[in-house]
Amino acid sequence: KTRLVASVEHQFNEKIERLRASIKDKQEQIDSVRRTATSVVVNNRQSVDQRRILAIDAVVASVEASKKHLWASSILSRLKVEEVVKQIDQPNMRKFIDGLSPNLEALTSDASVNLEAAKAQPYLTISAWAFYKAYTGILSYDYMRLLTLKHGFDPQIFTTDEKLKEAVLGALPDRDEFVGRYGASAYHYLLDDLESKLMAELRAIVEGREEDALTIRRAQAILDAVHSMEINLETRRRMDAAS
């Protein structure tokens, strides 16, 4: 009996040791996978953060480059374009327009700067991109209108603010009445507000505030989806029980 007990105990201890060894191996494998996954996540996060910084730099550079058209926007905000068009062929009006824009053709947009800014879109928030597009869109639109006037044409024939108005009101929905009352002349007076909101949004991205809010919204969306699924399952269970 003693030998039998000892034999069983020995076999049991061997199995326990093999089980412990197996658990240890599994744990080491799990730890290895966890370390690898953590490393990948950290590296990806660092890469995304770096891209965000570059994206913000590109947008700020594009905004600063577009400011060379500020004076054109300022002029058009005070100019009655319809009245100018009526007298566009008059010598005095031609002289007046030329005096406003002697070096206009030399102030074209920098395509490379705009391209870098376009690449930034996936790394910015929707709001930041909306403010950026509205700001640069106003300056580009006013520049093209003044350029058209300089060459003796009616800007309304060659340019339209339909998409620009949509972009501006998408970024500043509370300015609908103002834009409706003053039309294209109103856009210039929204530039400071758009720039302030853009810079505030970019700071929020750098500080991670927007990402934290996005994480909360995503988590809440998941919880809502799970709750909805649970309700559906419970409803089905009750229907099955009733049938």
Side-chain angles (χ1 to χ4, degrees):
K1 180 181 177 180
T2 301
R3 287 196 301 271
L4 180 60
V5 170
S7 175
V8 171
E9 185 178 357
H10 177 70
Q11 292 177 9
F12 179 76
N13 289 337
E14 285 184 339
K15 289 182 179 180
I16 289 295
E17 289 302 320
R18 286 197 297 270
L19 181 60
R20 287 175 177 170
S22 176
I23 292 173
K24 183 179 179 181
D25 290 340
K26 294 291 184 183
Q27 186 60 49
E28 288 177 352
Q29 293 175 15
I30 292 171
D31 291 342
S32 177
V33 171
R34 183 181 290 114
R35 286 193 297 271
T36 301
T38 301
S39 177
V40 169
V41 170
V42 170
N43 290 336
N44 287 343
R45 179 59 183 268
Q46 290 176 343
S47 177
V48 170
D49 286 345
Q50 182 62 29
R51 285 295 299 142
R52 281 178 178 160
I53 297 301
L54 293 175
I56 290 171
D57 288 345
V59 165
V60 172
S62 180
V63 167
E64 292 303 314
S66 70
K67 287 182 178 181
K68 61 187 174 184
H69 296 152
L70 265 173
W71 65 275
S73 180
S74 177
I75 289 172
L76 284 170
S77 69
R78 300 190 298 270
L79 203 63
K80 294 184 180 296
V81 177
E82 296 81 2
E83 297 300 320
V84 173
V85 170
K86 291 177 183 178
Q87 306 176 46
I88 198 70
D89 294 326
Q90 300 297 322
N92 288 340
M93 183 58 70
R94 297 297 316 143
K95 185 177 180 180
F96 171 71
I97 294 296
D98 289 340
L100 291 176
S101 52
N103 301 314
L104 194 59
E105 286 80 1
L107 298 177
T108 55
S109 300
D110 190 330
S112 62
V113 172
N114 293 338
L115 178 60
E116 289 303 312
K119 294 178 182 178
Q121 183 178 2
Y123 301 94
L124 300 177
T125 61
I126 294 175
S127 296
W129 187 250
F131 295 141
Y132 164 72
K133 290 297 290 183
Y135 184 91
T136 56
I138 290 172
L139 294 179
S140 296
Y141 176 69
D142 284 343
Y143 171 74
M144 290 304 300
R145 286 204 298 157
L146 190 58
L147 185 64
T148 304
L149 276 177
K150 181 178 180 180
H151 287 281
F153 300 105
D154 182 355
Q156 293 182 344
I157 298 176
F158 299 95
T159 60
T160 175
D161 74 331
E162 182 180 351
K163 291 295 183 182
L164 177 60
K165 183 178 180 180
E166 185 179 317
V168 170
L169 294 182
L172 301 173
D174 58 320
R175 294 307 186 95
D176 183 37
E177 183 179 350
F178 179 68
V179 172
R181 178 180 299 178
Y182 297 104
S185 298
Y187 296 143
H188 174 76
Y189 299 100
L190 302 178
L191 287 170
D192 287 344
D193 197 13
L194 285 168
E195 185 177 11
S196 296
K197 287 181 177 295
L198 171 59
M199 294 307 164
E201 192 71 17
L202 295 180
R203 281 193 294 271
I205 295 174
V206 172
E207 295 169 4
R209 284 182 279 137
E210 181 63 29
E211 184 177 349
D212 291 343
L214 180 60
T215 300
I216 293 171
R217 289 197 296 271
R218 285 174 175 171
Q220 186 59 53
I222 292 172
L223 291 175
D224 291 343
V226 171
H227 181 62
S228 177
M229 182 183 66
E230 289 174 343
I231 291 175
N232 290 335
L233 289 174
E234 180 63 19
T235 302
R236 179 171 295 182
R237 186 188 65 79
R238 290 179 179 179
M239 291 175 63
D240 290 343
S243 61

